[in-house]
Amino acid sequence: MGEAVSAQQMKDEGLRLFQEGLYEEAAARFEEARNAFIGEGSEIDAAEMVNNLGIIHRMEGRWDDAIAILMDALATFVKLGDRSREAQALGNLGGLHASKGEPEKAREYLSRAAEIFEQLGDSQRHGETLLALGAQAWKSGNRNEGLATYELGLGRLERLTAGQKTLRALLRFRNRLLGRGR
């Protein structure tokens, strides 16, 4: 007889499957983990699994399901006072509305997420959310605001990709040429 699998192990397996792009299998594991976390009395971890399910529905283009699920997770995070996860859920909703072609709603959710991450002192996630806001503004035709917000986001990131480092250097060069930089 095999050992019982813990809720945490189910979650970890779901994350691995998700990273491999096996969304259906990941969703099944997240649902199992959610039920196991409920059984353990961990409402916050169960809500995190709900949030993960919402992300999968977004990836699959199942907008209405994703919105309902993410709103449910958001409500639980707010109720339990978990501001970091609340901001994550808001960011996920913002990304969903951006993917769905609803820029105003995307901006609203992303702005709320960025504000919370800033209040929490989470520079990396604040920066990542500002990048998403900047990209959203750019796509909506507001190039100046988009570029400024994106640049601000790059400045908040603690860990930059090679491409982000290059872009930040180019923006600094541009600012020096325009007499705006150091």
Side-chain angles (χ1 to χ4, degrees), residues 12-55:
D12 293 343
E13 177 70 7
L15 290 171
R16 183 188 64 75
L17 292 165
F18 179 83
Q19 290 169 348
E20 292 176 10
L22 301 171
Y23 301 132
E24 190 173 318
E25 294 88 344
R29 272 316 216 186
F30 289 144
E31 187 61 42
E32 291 170 1
R34 182 186 74 79
N35 291 331
F37 281 126
I38 290 170
E40 293 175 3
S42 180
E43 189 175 1
I44 196 78
D45 289 318
E48 185 179 341
M49 296 306 96
V50 170
N51 187 63
N52 291 347
L53 289 166
I55 293 168

Side-chain angles (χ1 to χ4, degrees), residues 78-98:
V78 169
K79 179 181 87 170
L80 298 175
D82 190 322
R83 299 285 286 162
S84 180
R85 286 184 174 128
E86 174 186 348
Q88 289 174 44
L90 288 166
N92 290 333
L93 283 161
L96 185 154
H97 285 290

Side-chain angles (χ1 to χ4, degrees), residues 69-81:
I69 289 170
L70 289 171
M71 292 300 287
D72 183 47
L74 175 62
T76 301
F77 297 144
V78 169
K79 179 181 87 170
L80 298 175

Side-chain angles (χ1 to χ4, degrees), residues 33-137:
R34 182 186 74 79
N35 291 331
F37 281 126
I38 290 170
E40 293 175 3
S42 180
E43 189 175 1
I44 196 78
D45 289 318
E48 185 179 341
M49 296 306 96
V50 170
N51 187 63
N52 291 347
L53 289 166
I55 293 168
I56 289 173
H57 288 314
R58 173 190 170 197
M59 303 282 293
E60 296 173 334
R62 295 171 51 196
W63 310 124
D64 292 340
D65 291 338
I67 291 169
I69 289 170
L70 289 171
M71 292 300 287
D72 183 47
L74 175 62
T76 301
F77 297 144
V78 169
K79 179 181 87 170
L80 298 175
D82 190 322
R83 299 285 286 162
S84 180
R85 286 184 174 128
E86 174 186 348
Q88 289 174 44
L90 288 166
N92 290 333
L93 283 161
L96 185 154
H97 285 290
S99 296
K100 194 176 175 193
E102 298 175 342
E104 290 305 314
K105 285 185 178 182
R107 182 184 173 121
E108 173 191 335
Y109 285 113
L110 290 169
S111 295
R112 288 172 52 198
E115 183 179 311
I116 293 170
F117 284 134
E118 183 177 33
Q119 290 168 357
L120 294 174
D122 188 335
S123 295
Q124 184 67 27
R125 289 186 176 156
H126 181 231
E128 291 166 354
T129 307
L130 289 174
L131 294 180
L133 266 170
Q136 187 61 46

